[in-house]
């Protein structure tokens, strides 16, 4: 004996349609809130006093802290040796490069101390 699936009732279809609509609205609201947070973060970093170029005294290592929360690190003649994201909380900076490597540093008296190096504002 072969059994066939019965077609969904009108009530079940309405319930499934409502659930799909609710899930879609939740997803869109989440994306909108996330995009809003990113825009707030970009504004904060663009106004942040630490955004800009930081260099070691010998000019060998250079960190450009971009206003969008990204950084570019140059080493010697390699202008884009490393790139990634950074976050500043107070006088502390956290870095995460695009390969997943993380590091941090601290700003004290107009100087950035990071990875055993000393950076000054250029």
């Amino acid at each position: 004996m072969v059994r066939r699936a019965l077609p969904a009732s009108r009530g079940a279809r309405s319930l499934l349609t409502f659930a799909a609509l609710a899930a879609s609205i939740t997803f869109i609201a989440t994306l909108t809130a996330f995009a809003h947070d990113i825009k707030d973060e970009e504004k904060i970093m663009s106004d942040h006093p630490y955004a800009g170029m930081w260099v070691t005294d010998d000019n060998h290592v250079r960190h450009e802290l971009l206003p969008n929360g990204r950084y570019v690190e140059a080493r010697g003649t390699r202008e884009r040796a490393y790139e990634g994201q950074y976050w500043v909380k107070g006088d502390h900076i956290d870095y995460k490069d695009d390969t997943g490597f993380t590091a941090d540093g601290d700003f004290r008296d107009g100087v950035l101390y990071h990875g055993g190096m000393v950076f000054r504002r250029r």
Side-chain angles (χ1 to χ4, degrees), residues 59-98:
N59 203 42
H60 183 72
V61 181
R62 300 167 304 282
H63 283 194
E64 185 176 8
L65 303 180
L66 302 170
N68 63 356
R70 302 267 310 157
Y71 76 92
V72 178
E73 179 177 318
R75 289 189 175 239
T77 59
R78 292 178 55 205
E79 288 300 320
R80 296 181 96 76
Y82 302 98
E83 296 180 61
Q85 296 175 288
Y86 74 94
W87 299 268
V88 175
K89 296 255 185 196
D91 291 328
H92 184 80
I93 185 169
D94 288 298
Y95 297 90
K96 183 176 182 183
D97 79 13
D98 291 342

mmCIF file of all heavy atoms in Angstrom, residues 59-98:
data_model
loop_
_atom_site.group_PDB
_atom_site.id
_atom_site.type_symbol
_atom_site.label_atom_id
_atom_site.label_comp_id
_atom_site.label_asym_id
_atom_site.label_seq_id
_atom_site.Cartn_x
_atom_site.Cartn_y
_atom_site.Cartn_z
ATOM 1 N N ASN A 59 62.216 54.803 11.655
ATOM 2 C CA ASN A 59 61.269 54.827 10.532
ATOM 3 C C ASN A 59 61.131 53.466 9.845
ATOM 4 O O ASN A 59 60.574 53.367 8.758
ATOM 5 C CB ASN A 59 61.651 55.909 9.507
ATOM 6 C CG ASN A 59 60.461 56.350 8.679
ATOM 7 O OD1 ASN A 59 59.370 56.531 9.213
ATOM 8 N ND2 ASN A 59 60.657 56.512 7.384
ATOM 9 N N HIS A 60 61.628 52.398 10.475
ATOM 10 C CA HIS A 60 61.566 51.075 9.856
ATOM 11 C C HIS A 60 60.149 50.492 9.903
ATOM 12 O O HIS A 60 59.691 49.865 8.955
ATOM 13 C CB HIS A 60 62.554 50.109 10.524
ATOM 14 C CG HIS A 60 62.577 48.764 9.894
ATOM 15 N ND1 HIS A 60 63.135 48.527 8.655
ATOM 16 C CD2 HIS A 60 62.086 47.576 10.306
ATOM 17 C CE1 HIS A 60 63.003 47.258 8.337
ATOM 18 N NE2 HIS A 60 62.365 46.653 9.323
ATOM 19 N N VAL A 61 59.457 50.677 11.023
ATOM 20 C CA VAL A 61 58.093 50.153 11.172
ATOM 21 C C VAL A 61 57.146 51.336 11.276
ATOM 22 O O VAL A 61 57.369 52.263 12.044
ATOM 23 C CB VAL A 61 57.967 49.247 12.411
ATOM 24 C CG1 VAL A 61 56.549 48.694 12.532
ATOM 25 C CG2 VAL A 61 58.979 48.107 12.360
ATOM 26 N N ARG A 62 56.100 51.282 10.461
ATOM 27 C CA ARG A 62 55.120 52.372 10.408
ATOM 28 C C ARG A 62 53.707 51.796 10.506
ATOM 29 O O ARG A 62 53.376 50.891 9.756
ATOM 30 C CB ARG A 62 55.297 53.166 9.108
ATOM 31 C CG ARG A 62 56.689 53.779 9.002
ATOM 32 C CD ARG A 62 57.038 54.310 7.628
ATOM 33 N NE ARG A 62 56.947 53.398 6.504
ATOM 34 C CZ ARG A 62 57.869 52.461 6.199
ATOM 35 N NH1 ARG A 62 58.911 52.291 6.966
ATOM 36 N NH2 ARG A 62 57.721 51.689 5.137
ATOM 37 N N HIS A 63 52.938 52.314 11.428
ATOM 38 C CA HIS A 63 51.533 51.920 11.584
ATOM 39 C C HIS A 63 50.661 53.087 11.179
ATOM 40 O O HIS A 63 50.728 54.149 11.797
ATOM 41 C CB HIS A 63 51.210 51.587 13.043
ATOM 42 C CG HIS A 63 51.696 50.258 13.476
ATOM 43 N ND1 HIS A 63 51.272 49.678 14.635
ATOM 44 C CD2 HIS A 63 52.565 49.390 12.932
ATOM 45 C CE1 HIS A 63 51.863 48.511 14.777
ATOM 46 N NE2 HIS A 63 52.660 48.321 13.757
ATOM 47 N N GLU A 64 49.850 52.886 10.178
ATOM 48 C CA GLU A 64 48.859 53.900 9.843
ATOM 49 C C GLU A 64 47.518 53.423 10.369
ATOM 50 O O GLU A 64 46.971 52.422 9.894
ATOM 51 C CB GLU A 64 48.796 54.149 8.338
ATOM 52 C CG GLU A 64 47.855 55.279 8.004
ATOM 53 C CD GLU A 64 47.830 55.639 6.528
ATOM 54 O OE1 GLU A 64 48.440 54.925 5.716
ATOM 55 O OE2 GLU A 64 47.183 56.650 6.203
ATOM 56 N N LEU A 65 47.014 54.111 11.379
ATOM 57 C CA LEU A 65 45.707 53.799 11.951
ATOM 58 C C LEU A 65 44.665 54.580 11.170
ATOM 59 O O LEU A 65 44.549 55.793 11.304
ATOM 60 C CB LEU A 65 45.683 54.167 13.437
ATOM 61 C CG LEU A 65 46.762 53.505 14.306
ATOM 62 C CD1 LEU A 65 46.618 53.969 15.754
ATOM 63 C CD2 LEU A 65 46.710 51.998 14.202
ATOM 64 N N LEU A 66 43.949 53.879 10.315
ATOM 65 C CA LEU A 66 42.978 54.517 9.427
ATOM 66 C C LEU A 66 41.708 54.869 10.194
ATOM 67 O O LEU A 66 41.358 54.195 11.168
ATOM 68 C CB LEU A 66 42.676 53.600 8.249
ATOM 69 C CG LEU A 66 43.900 53.206 7.411
ATOM 70 C CD1 LEU A 66 43.543 52.109 6.420
ATOM 71 C CD2 LEU A 66 44.471 54.416 6.706
ATOM 72 N N PRO A 67 40.987 55.885 9.749
ATOM 73 C CA PRO A 67 39.780 56.318 10.476
ATOM 74 C C PRO A 67 38.636 55.313 10.438
ATOM 75 O O PRO A 67 37.707 55.424 11.218
ATOM 76 C CB PRO A 67 39.385 57.630 9.795
ATOM 77 C CG PRO A 67 40.134 57.685 8.533
ATOM 78 C CD PRO A 67 41.321 56.774 8.660
ATOM 79 N N ASN A 68 38.705 54.292 9.587
ATOM 80 C CA ASN A 68 37.621 53.301 9.502
ATOM 81 C C ASN A 68 37.869 52.085 10.387
ATOM 82 O O ASN A 68 37.178 51.078 10.260
ATOM 83 C CB ASN A 68 37.399 52.872 8.054
ATOM 84 C CG ASN A 68 38.609 52.173 7.463
ATOM 85 O OD1 ASN A 68 39.651 52.055 8.095
ATOM 86 N ND2 ASN A 68 38.473 51.719 6.234
ATOM 87 N N GLY A 69 38.874 52.169 11.299
ATOM 88 C CA GLY A 69 39.139 51.046 12.195
ATOM 89 C C GLY A 69 40.074 50.002 11.602
ATOM 90 O O GLY A 69 40.268 48.943 12.186
ATOM 91 N N ARG A 70 40.665 50.290 10.473
ATOM 92 C CA ARG A 70 41.646 49.398 9.844
ATOM 93 C C ARG A 70 43.038 50.002 10.028
ATOM 94 O O ARG A 70 43.169 51.200 10.265
ATOM 95 C CB ARG A 70 41.373 49.233 8.342
ATOM 96 C CG ARG A 70 40.020 48.701 7.993
ATOM 97 C CD ARG A 70 39.911 47.229 7.811
ATOM 98 N NE ARG A 70 40.917 46.684 6.920
ATOM 99 C CZ ARG A 70 41.281 45.407 6.958
ATOM 100 N NH1 ARG A 70 40.752 44.582 7.822
ATOM 101 N NH2 ARG A 70 42.192 44.951 6.117
ATOM 102 N N TYR A 71 44.054 49.162 9.918
ATOM 103 C CA TYR A 71 45.420 49.664 9.964
ATOM 104 C C TYR A 71 46.239 49.028 8.853
ATOM 105 O O TYR A 71 45.907 47.953 8.349
ATOM 106 C CB TYR A 71 46.081 49.405 11.330
ATOM 107 C CG TYR A 71 46.500 47.970 11.531
ATOM 108 C CD1 TYR A 71 47.781 47.546 11.191
ATOM 109 C CD2 TYR A 71 45.622 47.035 12.054
ATOM 110 C CE1 TYR A 71 48.165 46.225 11.360
ATOM 111 C CE2 TYR A 71 45.989 45.724 12.228
ATOM 112 C CZ TYR A 71 47.275 45.317 11.876
ATOM 113 O OH TYR A 71 47.643 44.017 12.045
ATOM 114 N N VAL A 72 47.302 49.724 8.482
ATOM 115 C CA VAL A 72 48.280 49.209 7.523
ATOM 116 C C VAL A 72 49.643 49.354 8.187
ATOM 117 O O VAL A 72 49.993 50.444 8.649
ATOM 118 C CB VAL A 72 48.252 49.991 6.189
ATOM 119 C CG1 VAL A 72 49.316 49.473 5.239
ATOM 120 C CG2 VAL A 72 46.875 49.921 5.548
ATOM 121 N N GLU A 73 50.373 48.257 8.248
ATOM 122 C CA GLU A 73 51.715 48.292 8.823
ATOM 123 C C GLU A 73 52.742 48.128 7.712
ATOM 124 O O GLU A 73 52.670 47.190 6.924
ATOM 125 C CB GLU A 73 51.902 47.170 9.844
ATOM 126 C CG GLU A 73 53.293 47.162 10.450
ATOM 127 C CD GLU A 73 53.466 46.096 11.505
ATOM 128 O OE1 GLU A 73 52.546 45.897 12.323
ATOM 129 O OE2 GLU A 73 54.545 45.457 11.519
ATOM 130 N N ALA A 74 53.679 49.045 7.660
ATOM 131 C CA ALA A 74 54.793 48.977 6.709
ATOM 132 C C ALA A 74 56.048 48.608 7.482
ATOM 133 O O ALA A 74 56.236 49.037 8.622
ATOM 134 C CB ALA A 74 54.971 50.321 6.007
ATOM 135 N N ARG A 75 56.900 47.811 6.847
ATOM 136 C CA ARG A 75 58.186 47.428 7.448
ATOM 137 C C ARG A 75 59.262 47.596 6.397
ATOM 138 O O ARG A 75 59.236 46.920 5.373
ATOM 139 C CB ARG A 75 58.159 45.995 7.944
ATOM 140 C CG ARG A 75 57.293 45.839 9.173
ATOM 141 C CD ARG A 75 57.440 44.462 9.780
ATOM 142 N NE ARG A 75 56.678 44.426 11.014
ATOM 143 C CZ ARG A 75 57.211 44.162 12.190
ATOM 144 N NH1 ARG A 75 58.492 43.910 12.315
ATOM 145 N NH2 ARG A 75 56.453 44.143 13.266
ATOM 146 N N GLY A 76 60.169 48.515 6.655
ATOM 147 C CA GLY A 76 61.238 48.780 5.684
ATOM 148 C C GLY A 76 60.649 49.234 4.365
ATOM 149 O O GLY A 76 59.873 50.182 4.314
ATOM 150 N N THR A 77 60.983 48.521 3.286
ATOM 151 C CA THR A 77 60.468 48.881 1.963
ATOM 152 C C THR A 77 59.137 48.201 1.650
ATOM 153 O O THR A 77 58.546 48.474 0.615
ATOM 154 C CB THR A 77 61.488 48.516 0.866
ATOM 155 O OG1 THR A 77 61.745 47.109 0.923
ATOM 156 C CG2 THR A 77 62.780 49.299 1.045
ATOM 157 N N ARG A 78 58.668 47.315 2.528
ATOM 158 C CA ARG A 78 57.369 46.642 2.340
ATOM 159 C C ARG A 78 56.264 47.552 2.860
ATOM 160 O O ARG A 78 56.011 47.616 4.062
ATOM 161 C CB ARG A 78 57.333 45.299 3.054
ATOM 162 C CG ARG A 78 58.262 44.273 2.433
ATOM 163 C CD ARG A 78 58.258 42.958 3.187
ATOM 164 N NE ARG A 78 56.916 42.418 3.310
ATOM 165 C CZ ARG A 78 56.551 41.591 4.285
ATOM 166 N NH1 ARG A 78 57.401 41.217 5.210
ATOM 167 N NH2 ARG A 78 55.312 41.128 4.328
ATOM 168 N N GLU A 79 55.623 48.289 1.972
ATOM 169 C CA GLU A 79 54.631 49.288 2.376
ATOM 170 C C GLU A 79 53.366 48.686 2.965
ATOM 171 O O GLU A 79 52.688 49.321 3.749
ATOM 172 C CB GLU A 79 54.275 50.203 1.198
ATOM 173 C CG GLU A 79 55.388 51.170 0.837
ATOM 174 C CD GLU A 79 55.772 52.099 1.986
ATOM 175 O OE1 GLU A 79 54.888 52.583 2.713
ATOM 176 O OE2 GLU A 79 56.977 52.316 2.167
ATOM 177 N N ARG A 80 52.995 47.480 2.603
ATOM 178 C CA ARG A 80 51.799 46.841 3.133
ATOM 179 C C ARG A 80 52.173 45.463 3.672
ATOM 180 O O ARG A 80 51.629 44.455 3.240
ATOM 181 C CB ARG A 80 50.719 46.753 2.071
ATOM 182 C CG ARG A 80 50.219 48.127 1.603
ATOM 183 C CD ARG A 80 49.125 48.025 0.559
ATOM 184 N NE ARG A 80 47.795 48.106 1.097
ATOM 185 C CZ ARG A 80 47.187 49.215 1.517
ATOM 186 N NH1 ARG A 80 47.832 50.351 1.465
ATOM 187 N NH2 ARG A 80 45.962 49.199 1.967
ATOM 188 N N ALA A 81 53.075 45.451 4.634
ATOM 189 C CA ALA A 81 53.539 44.183 5.197
ATOM 190 C C ALA A 81 52.400 43.456 5.918
ATOM 191 O O ALA A 81 52.255 42.241 5.805
ATOM 192 C CB ALA A 81 54.712 44.423 6.135
ATOM 193 N N TYR A 82 51.607 44.208 6.666
ATOM 194 C CA TYR A 82 50.476 43.642 7.407
ATOM 195 C C TYR A 82 49.315 44.623 7.358
ATOM 196 O O TYR A 82 49.511 45.832 7.338
ATOM 197 C CB TYR A 82 50.842 43.379 8.877
ATOM 198 C CG TYR A 82 52.019 42.457 9.023
ATOM 199 C CD1 TYR A 82 53.295 42.964 9.243
ATOM 200 C CD2 TYR A 82 51.859 41.083 8.922
ATOM 201 C CE1 TYR A 82 54.389 42.121 9.366
ATOM 202 C CE2 TYR A 82 52.942 40.231 9.034
ATOM 203 C CZ TYR A 82 54.204 40.755 9.259
ATOM 204 O OH TYR A 82 55.277 39.923 9.369
ATOM 205 N N GLU A 83 48.109 44.057 7.340
ATOM 206 C CA GLU A 83 46.892 44.868 7.366
ATOM 207 C C GLU A 83 45.885 44.181 8.256
ATOM 208 O O GLU A 83 45.885 42.958 8.384
ATOM 209 C CB GLU A 83 46.297 45.010 5.961
ATOM 210 C CG GLU A 83 47.183 45.746 4.987
ATOM 211 C CD GLU A 83 46.543 45.862 3.617
ATOM 212 O OE1 GLU A 83 45.464 46.487 3.534
ATOM 213 O OE2 GLU A 83 47.113 45.327 2.658
ATOM 214 N N GLY A 84 45.005 44.967 8.854
ATOM 215 C CA GLY A 84 43.980 44.377 9.695
ATOM 216 C C GLY A 84 43.110 45.425 10.346
ATOM 217 O O GLY A 84 43.010 46.549 9.870
ATOM 218 N N GLN A 85 42.501 45.018 11.452
ATOM 219 C CA GLN A 85 41.602 45.887 12.198
ATOM 220 C C GLN A 85 42.251 46.289 13.515
ATOM 221 O O GLN A 85 43.109 45.573 14.029
ATOM 222 C CB GLN A 85 40.299 45.162 12.519
ATOM 223 C CG GLN A 85 39.491 44.778 11.305
ATOM 224 C CD GLN A 85 38.296 43.960 11.722
ATOM 225 O OE1 GLN A 85 38.429 42.814 12.101
ATOM 226 N NE2 GLN A 85 37.124 44.582 11.671
ATOM 227 N N TYR A 86 41.799 47.404 14.055
ATOM 228 C CA TYR A 86 42.237 47.798 15.389
ATOM 229 C C TYR A 86 41.061 48.392 16.150
ATOM 230 O O TYR A 86 40.100 48.874 15.567
ATOM 231 C CB TYR A 86 43.411 48.787 15.334
ATOM 232 C CG TYR A 86 43.035 50.193 14.906
ATOM 233 C CD1 TYR A 86 42.741 51.176 15.852
ATOM 234 C CD2 TYR A 86 42.964 50.546 13.564
ATOM 235 C CE1 TYR A 86 42.396 52.462 15.460
ATOM 236 C CE2 TYR A 86 42.622 51.828 13.170
ATOM 237 C CZ TYR A 86 42.337 52.779 14.125
ATOM 238 O OH TYR A 86 41.992 54.044 13.733
ATOM 239 N N TRP A 87 41.178 48.293 17.478
ATOM 240 C CA TRP A 87 40.176 48.856 18.374
ATOM 241 C C TRP A 87 40.898 49.590 19.481
ATOM 242 O O TRP A 87 41.875 49.077 20.024
ATOM 243 C CB TRP A 87 39.317 47.754 18.987
ATOM 244 C CG TRP A 87 38.570 46.950 17.986
ATOM 245 C CD1 TRP A 87 37.303 47.175 17.541
ATOM 246 C CD2 TRP A 87 39.046 45.790 17.283
ATOM 247 N NE1 TRP A 87 36.962 46.224 16.607
ATOM 248 C CE2 TRP A 87 38.010 45.360 16.426
ATOM 249 C CE3 TRP A 87 40.237 45.069 17.283
ATOM 250 C CZ2 TRP A 87 38.129 44.257 15.602
ATOM 251 C CZ3 TRP A 87 40.359 43.975 16.449
ATOM 252 C CH2 TRP A 87 39.312 43.581 15.628
ATOM 253 N N VAL A 88 40.434 50.773 19.813
ATOM 254 C CA VAL A 88 41.028 51.552 20.896
ATOM 255 C C VAL A 88 40.000 51.698 22.009
ATOM 256 O O VAL A 88 38.863 52.097 21.765
ATOM 257 C CB VAL A 88 41.480 52.951 20.401
ATOM 258 C CG1 VAL A 88 41.991 53.786 21.566
ATOM 259 C CG2 VAL A 88 42.538 52.828 19.324
ATOM 260 N N LYS A 89 40.402 51.365 23.205
ATOM 261 C CA LYS A 89 39.582 51.573 24.409
ATOM 262 C C LYS A 89 40.454 52.346 25.381
ATOM 263 O O LYS A 89 41.457 51.814 25.873
ATOM 264 C CB LYS A 89 39.170 50.245 25.037
ATOM 265 C CG LYS A 89 38.279 49.421 24.166
ATOM 266 C CD LYS A 89 36.888 49.463 24.666
ATOM 267 C CE LYS A 89 36.081 48.501 23.796
ATOM 268 N NZ LYS A 89 34.725 48.666 23.882
ATOM 269 N N GLY A 90 40.103 53.592 25.597
ATOM 270 C CA GLY A 90 40.928 54.438 26.454
ATOM 271 C C GLY A 90 42.287 54.650 25.812
ATOM 272 O O GLY A 90 42.373 55.148 24.696
ATOM 273 N N ASP A 91 43.335 54.221 26.496
ATOM 274 C CA ASP A 91 44.699 54.342 25.973
ATOM 275 C C ASP A 91 45.266 52.994 25.546
ATOM 276 O O ASP A 91 46.477 52.847 25.361
ATOM 277 C CB ASP A 91 45.618 54.973 27.034
ATOM 278 C CG ASP A 91 45.272 56.432 27.277
ATOM 279 O OD1 ASP A 91 44.829 57.103 26.330
ATOM 280 O OD2 ASP A 91 45.451 56.906 28.417
ATOM 281 N N HIS A 92 44.414 51.989 25.385
ATOM 282 C CA HIS A 92 44.846 50.639 24.985
ATOM 283 C C HIS A 92 44.386 50.359 23.557
ATOM 284 O O HIS A 92 43.270 50.718 23.190
ATOM 285 C CB HIS A 92 44.257 49.595 25.937
ATOM 286 C CG HIS A 92 44.729 48.208 25.655
ATOM 287 N ND1 HIS A 92 45.949 47.746 26.075
ATOM 288 C CD2 HIS A 92 44.137 47.200 24.976
ATOM 289 C CE1 HIS A 92 46.086 46.500 25.668
ATOM 290 N NE2 HIS A 92 44.998 46.148 25.005
ATOM 291 N N ILE A 93 45.245 49.738 22.766
ATOM 292 C CA ILE A 93 44.890 49.373 21.392
ATOM 293 C C ILE A 93 45.044 47.872 21.207
ATOM 294 O O ILE A 93 46.009 47.270 21.700
ATOM 295 C CB ILE A 93 45.748 50.161 20.363
ATOM 296 C CG1 ILE A 93 45.289 49.857 18.932
ATOM 297 C CG2 ILE A 93 47.239 49.868 20.547
ATOM 298 C CD1 ILE A 93 45.900 50.784 17.878
ATOM 299 N N ASP A 94 44.069 47.265 20.551
ATOM 300 C CA ASP A 94 44.126 45.855 20.166
ATOM 301 C C ASP A 94 44.148 45.785 18.653
ATOM 302 O O ASP A 94 43.413 46.509 17.978
ATOM 303 C CB ASP A 94 42.903 45.096 20.694
ATOM 304 C CG ASP A 94 42.968 44.908 22.193
ATOM 305 O OD1 ASP A 94 43.910 44.241 22.667
ATOM 306 O OD2 ASP A 94 42.079 45.431 22.890
ATOM 307 N N TYR A 95 45.011 44.917 18.138
ATOM 308 C CA TYR A 95 45.146 44.705 16.704
ATOM 309 C C TYR A 95 44.746 43.272 16.364
ATOM 310 O O TYR A 95 44.999 42.360 17.147
ATOM 311 C CB TYR A 95 46.607 44.832 16.259
ATOM 312 C CG TYR A 95 47.266 46.163 16.434
ATOM 313 C CD1 TYR A 95 47.938 46.478 17.605
ATOM 314 C CD2 TYR A 95 47.275 47.092 15.403
ATOM 315 C CE1 TYR A 95 48.592 47.688 17.753
ATOM 316 C CE2 TYR A 95 47.924 48.306 15.541
ATOM 317 C CZ TYR A 95 48.578 48.598 16.720
ATOM 318 O OH TYR A 95 49.227 49.790 16.854
ATOM 319 N N LYS A 96 44.174 43.089 15.178
ATOM 320 C CA LYS A 96 43.950 41.748 14.628
ATOM 321 C C LYS A 96 44.214 41.852 13.138
ATOM 322 O O LYS A 96 43.477 42.518 12.415
ATOM 323 C CB LYS A 96 42.533 41.261 14.882
ATOM 324 C CG LYS A 96 42.318 39.838 14.365
ATOM 325 C CD LYS A 96 40.941 39.337 14.711
ATOM 326 C CE LYS A 96 40.767 37.915 14.232
ATOM 327 N NZ LYS A 96 39.405 37.444 14.505
ATOM 328 N N ASP A 97 45.295 41.199 12.679
ATOM 329 C CA ASP A 97 45.595 41.305 11.255
ATOM 330 C C ASP A 97 44.710 40.347 10.456
ATOM 331 O O ASP A 97 44.008 39.515 11.030
ATOM 332 C CB ASP A 97 47.090 41.152 10.966
ATOM 333 C CG ASP A 97 47.603 39.721 10.973
ATOM 334 O OD1 ASP A 97 46.808 38.775 10.955
ATOM 335 O OD2 ASP A 97 48.837 39.556 10.980
ATOM 336 N N ASP A 98 44.738 40.493 9.160
ATOM 337 C CA ASP A 98 43.825 39.740 8.301
ATOM 338 C C ASP A 98 44.106 38.243 8.283
ATOM 339 O O ASP A 98 43.291 37.467 7.793
ATOM 340 C CB ASP A 98 43.848 40.306 6.883
ATOM 341 C CG ASP A 98 43.213 41.687 6.807
ATOM 342 O OD1 ASP A 98 42.463 42.050 7.734
ATOM 343 O OD2 ASP A 98 43.480 42.411 5.834
#
